[in-house]
Amino acid sequence: MALNIKPLSDRVIIEPVAAETQTASGIIIPDTAKEKPQKGTVVAVGNGKKDEPLTVKVGDTVLYGKYAGTDLKFNGKDYLIMREDDILAII
């Protein structure tokens, strides 16, 4: 996916996965009870810091902290912009 935003330094832009709408047993979760997703796909990366290159790349699926990043709405889609340090794992 081509995103027309280039993050600076060690920041990355993540497209969160859609929140679960139904439990495994079939119970529908209302909007007010949905958890904020903690998994997403990296869609853009910065250049990294001088002595610390980035380890994530575009297309990686990552896990991040529940309250990590800043919400960003661009072309009608929701994204998160955060520092690479806020990413917990690549899966």
Side-chain angles (χ1 to χ4, degrees), residues 15-28:
E15 182 177 1
V17 295
E20 294 290 325
T21 58
Q22 191 170 338
T23 64
S25 60
I27 298 172
I28 296 177

Side-chain angles (χ1 to χ4, degrees), residues 52-67:
E52 297 176 32
L54 293 176
T55 55
V56 296
K57 58 188 181 303
V58 173
D60 285 347
T61 301
V62 295
L63 297 176
Y64 50 87
K66 187 177 238 177
Y67 301 107

Side-chain angles (χ1 to χ4, degrees), residues 27-81:
I27 298 172
I28 296 177
I29 302 169
D31 289 340
T32 55
K34 288 183 184 170
E35 290 280 326
K36 183 177 175 184
Q38 293 175 272
K39 180 173 148 182
T41 304
V42 176
V43 293
V45 296
N47 294 326
K49 292 183 179 178
K50 185 176 181 180
D51 297 330
E52 297 176 32
L54 293 176
T55 55
V56 296
K57 58 188 181 303
V58 173
D60 285 347
T61 301
V62 295
L63 297 176
Y64 50 87
K66 187 177 238 177
Y67 301 107
T70 301
D71 293 328
L72 170 69
K73 193 167 197 92
F74 186 73
N75 288 340
K77 294 186 96 177
D78 292 323
Y79 298 99
L80 285 170
I81 187 164

